[in-house]
Amino acid sequence: MNQKELIARLNWFYSLEINQVDLYKAQSNAVEDDIYLAKTLSRVAVIEQQHVDNMAEAIKMLGVEPIKLGDVISPLVGKTAGMITGLAGPKLMLKANITLEEKAMRDYKDLIIRIGNIEHLFNVLWDNLIDEDLHTAWFANKLKELESHS
Ligand SMILES: [Fe+2]
Ligand SMILES: [Fe+2]
């Protein structure tokens, strides 16, 4: 992978992570009646902000400034705004989140395999991948719990 393609991919992650910070904060406000879910989404948003920061740092280490692309979430989940913001209920929201986290995981894995020996990048991509895996597991577990009550 050449430098230009690598930077393009990192900018995509950078943008995705920014979008996720905003999304999970909005969701946290939308599900206030379930305090555990609201608090978890708020905490996950903090972790996504760490990903924004570590992606920005990784891009700068390649000698360029990060560039925020537009909305990268809507094309991925293909859901209406109501579903993803939590207004259509927590189950649809969690399903959309799982789709999003799984896409991020696939792409982090793919990039890890392809970057080879860029050590600072290798470690940061692994860190983010594992966090996304933990988010996915929590969302899936919460979804199962909600489905068992309905
Ligand atoms: Fe993330
Ligand atoms: Fe995540």
Side-chain angles (χ1 to χ4, degrees), residues 34 90-96 98 139-150:
D34 182 338
K91 282 184 272 188
L92 289 175
M93 183 194 79
L94 287 165
K95 280 179 188 167
I98 291 166
F139 291 150
N141 197 51
K142 181 70 182 182
L143 179 61
K144 210 168 80 182
E145 182 194 309
L146 292 174
E147 282 175 337
S148 75
H149 294 159
S150 62

Side-chain angles (χ1 to χ4, degrees), residues 99-114:
T99 300
L100 202 53
E101 294 283 347
E102 285 179 340
K103 167 67 177 160
M105 285 170 66
R106 276 199 303 279
D107 285 18
Y108 275 125
K109 281 180 191 165
D110 182 64
L111 191 55
I112 286 167
I113 290 164
R114 296 184 59 186

Side-chain angles (χ1 to χ4, degrees), residues 47-72:
I47 295 161
E48 304 300 2
Q49 182 62 50
Q50 291 174 1
H51 298 174
V52 172
D53 296 343
N54 68 26
M55 280 296 105
E57 189 67 22
I59 292 165
K60 284 177 185 167
M61 282 180 80
L62 296 170
V64 293
E65 287 297 312
I67 296 167
K68 185 183 179 295
L69 313 170
D71 170 19
V72 298

Side-chain angles (χ1 to χ4, degrees), residues 1-146:
M1 185 181 309
N2 65 38
Q3 186 86 348
K4 200 177 160 196
E5 189 187 346
L6 176 60
I7 289 166
R9 278 174 169 248
L10 293 175
N11 274 321
W12 183 84
F13 281 115
Y14 173 70
S15 305
L16 173 69
E17 300 291 357
I18 289 172
N19 286 175
Q20 282 183 294
V21 171
D22 296 341
L23 177 67
Y24 294 150
K25 277 186 189 166
Q27 290 180 348
S28 177
N29 292 327
V31 299
E32 268 175 337
D33 50 320
D34 182 338
I35 187 158
Y36 209 103
L37 180 56
K39 288 282 184 198
T40 302
L41 287 164
S42 170
R43 180 63 199 155
V44 172
V46 171
I47 295 161
E48 304 300 2
Q49 182 62 50
Q50 291 174 1
H51 298 174
V52 172
D53 296 343
N54 68 26
M55 280 296 105
E57 189 67 22
I59 292 165
K60 284 177 185 167
M61 282 180 80
L62 296 170
V64 293
E65 287 297 312
I67 296 167
K68 185 183 179 295
L69 313 170
D71 170 19
V72 298
I73 284 184
S74 299
L76 294 179
V77 291
K79 300 274 177 1
T80 64
M83 286 168 93
I84 198 158
T85 56
L87 297 175
K91 282 184 272 188
L92 289 175
M93 183 194 79
L94 287 165
K95 280 179 188 167
N97 291 0
I98 291 166
T99 300
L100 202 53
E101 294 283 347
E102 285 179 340
K103 167 67 177 160
M105 285 170 66
R106 276 199 303 279
D107 285 18
Y108 275 125
K109 281 180 191 165
D110 182 64
L111 191 55
I112 286 167
I113 290 164
R114 296 184 59 186
I115 55 157
N117 59 359
I118 309 173
E119 199 184 338
H120 82 274
L121 209 46
F122 188 78
N123 291 333
V124 84
L125 294 173
W126 264 107
D127 286 349
N128 293 4
L129 168 61
I130 300 302
D131 285 341
E132 312 311 11
D133 203 352
L134 294 169
H135 300 164
T136 308
W138 192 91
F139 291 150
N141 197 51
K142 181 70 182 182
L143 179 61
K144 210 168 80 182
E145 182 194 309
L146 292 174

